[in-house]
Amino acid sequence: MSIRTTAIALTAVLCAALLGGAGYVRLCVANTNCAQAQVRVIAGSEKTPFFTDPRVRDALADHGLDVQVTGKGSRDLHDQLEGYDLAFPSSALAAERIIADRPGLRRESPFFSPMVVATYTDFAEALRQAGIARPGDRPGTWVFDVAAYLEQVQAGLRWQDIPGVRGQPASNGNLVLVATTNPRSSNSAAMYIAITSNVWNGGRIAQPEDIPRLAPLIGEKLFAAQGTTGLTSEEPFDVYTAPLGKSRAPMVLLYEAQFIGARITDPGRITDDMVLMYPTPTVVADHSYVPLSPEGEELGRLLGDDPELIRLAVEHGFRPLKTETFTEVLREQDVTVPSQLDVVQAPAYDTLEGLIDAIQ
């Protein structure tokens, strides 16, 4: 056997050993066929565009990983983990639900996203007349006053009652409501409960003793009044960005990443009349992963450490822990976000679960 043949054979052995071990070290040499390790990810649906981006797949392939993703509602992940290497729901609370009865597992949060309300410029201006919205501190940004909104919800405000909406696609008898997902299956709806429970609780984080008072109010006024809700966070976003979105979804609760990511990576999907309103207060969803295998562990590490993957995550709208990358990419893409956010903490895991159970 020649020296070159021996070297290639040894490299193949090293690749196989390292790819199957508890820790990954990428030692594959150019021009050798080092097999990739398949990594199966079950994730919140809003992260599917990121993991299926060919640039992301290529970057992960350079590290020896072939990632296959299944998108689900984040609150549905906890009992569907069989065969997966990484669970990647949309918040720390959803990750806590996964590890609650699985000792030894842990969560990490490589990036995050505040909750926002997507609408259209005409409706934002109309909501301004109704005292619900106002321009933000940077051009093109809007503030959504949750307290003013909830007051109008309790009063039964309808789109046809707002003068600025007359003649618009939503100028009908529908209630002025933010469209959401189903809180039993989707984390974004749970984040909406976190926001509204705080406001309806006088600016205090909801506690177990507040559940009997808050749950009927939230359930009836904010969810039952909507009718049918989506099971995943991509569903209302798809309706919002569809041709009839302006009449079917005048206001939709989203992760900021969904809107910004689509604007950067899917030109044409976000039109000039679409805008974000940032709730005051809002909550921030920590996109937390739970490693289920050594392969999942390595993928999670790369998402938080690899500069190329971090930049690609920002192009999909996610805010990494290294904020300078987020600022740089948004400046390059001419995307403006508020300089500050009014953020409150979500209720503790058990309290939020209690609210969701009581609402259903």
Side-chain angles (χ1 to χ4, degrees):
M1 183 180 291
S2 68
I3 293 176
R4 181 176 181 277
T5 303
T6 302
I8 292 176
L10 287 172
T11 300
V13 171
L14 276 172
C15 288
L18 290 167
L19 286 172
Y24 275 69
V25 180
R26 182 63 175 167
L27 293 180
C28 297
V29 179
N31 300 320
T32 66
N33 295 320
C34 184
Q36 292 184 352
Q38 188 175 83
V39 185
R40 295 193 63 205
V41 176
I42 184 167
S45 64
E46 74 289 334
K47 286 185 281 292
T48 302
F50 170 73
F51 280 112
T52 57
D53 185 329
R55 299 172 301 163
V56 174
R57 292 186 55 77
D58 288 345
L60 290 169
D62 288 342
H63 291 279
L65 303 182
D66 173 20
V67 175
Q68 306 295 323
V69 64
T70 300
K72 293 281 187 178
S74 288
R75 290 180 52 78
D76 277 342
L77 303 189
H78 71 287
D79 59 357
Q80 302 183 38
L81 303 181
E82 183 68 30
Y84 288 99
D85 300 291
L86 189 82
F88 206 164
S90 305
S91 75
L93 289 169
E96 289 293 335
R97 193 180 192 199
I98 292 173
I99 66 179
D101 56 354
R102 295 177 176 87
L105 295 184
R106 73 177 206 291
R107 65 173 178 84
E108 299 286 347
S109 302
F111 36 75
F112 59 95
S113 184
M115 304 309 299
V116 296
V117 176
T119 189
Y120 299 81
T121 303
D122 293 340
F123 297 149
E125 291 289 354
L127 292 169
R128 181 181 184 178
Q129 294 184 43
I132 294 173
R134 62 180 183 272
D137 66 347
R138 288 181 174 172
T141 64
W142 286 85
V143 174
F144 182 77
D145 189 327
V146 179
Y149 163 69
L150 293 179
E151 183 177 343
Q152 295 284 19
V153 165
Q154 288 185 281
L157 181 69
R158 298 179 182 273
W159 285 107
Q160 65 185 14
D161 299 331
I162 307 176
V165 180
R166 290 174 185 164
Q168 296 294 330
S171 58
N172 52 39
N174 289 344
L175 294 168
V176 176
L177 288 173
V178 175
T180 72
T181 51
N182 188 314
R184 186 164 291 282
S185 64
S186 174
N187 177 72
S188 60
M191 296 295 95
Y192 188 50
I193 293 172
I195 294 170
T196 55
S197 66
N198 183 282
V199 174
W200 263 332
N201 205 36
R204 296 179 296 107
I205 298 173
Q207 303 299 320
E209 59 268 23
D210 299 315
I211 293 174
R213 175 173 50 83
L214 293 173
L217 187 61
I218 294 171
E220 177 186 347
K221 296 294 186 180
L222 301 181
F223 287 100
Q226 289 185 57
T228 303
T229 54
L231 298 178
T232 72
S233 56
E234 279 298 289
E235 291 181 44
F237 187 45
D238 288 341
V239 174
Y240 170 72
T241 56
L244 294 178
K246 197 168 185 179
S247 59
R248 294 182 61 200
M251 287 196 298
V252 177
L253 184 79
L254 300 175
Y255 298 101
E256 178 194 58
Q258 291 177 274
F259 189 99
I260 293 178
R263 179 172 173 180
I264 294 175
T265 65
D266 192 5
R269 188 178 185 189
I270 302 299
T271 58
D272 291 343
D273 64 337
M274 294 177 174
V275 295
L276 287 186
M277 300 186 293
Y278 285 78
T280 178
T282 190
V283 295
V284 171
D286 295 319
H287 291 269
S288 300
Y289 65 80
V290 179
L292 305 172
S293 73
E295 292 84 356
E297 183 85 40
E298 174 62 4
L299 172 58
R301 184 191 67 78
L302 289 170
L303 293 174
D305 292 348
D306 184 81
E308 182 180 5
L309 288 169
I310 291 172
R311 184 177 180 85
L312 288 170
V314 172
E315 291 189 14
H316 281 271
F318 297 105
R319 297 187 182 221
L321 299 178
K322 299 176 181 178
T323 56
E324 61 271 15
T325 305
F326 184 76
T327 302
E328 177 184 330
V329 171
L330 264 58
R331 182 174 60 248
E332 293 172 359
Q333 299 292 335
D334 194 27
V335 175
T336 304
V337 298
S339 62
Q340 294 183 346
L341 299 175
D342 176 16
V343 177
V344 295
Q345 295 297 315
Y349 168 76
D350 289 342
T351 303
L352 188 59
E353 289 295 311
L355 277 167
I356 292 170
D357 288 343
I359 284 170
Q360 298 301 305

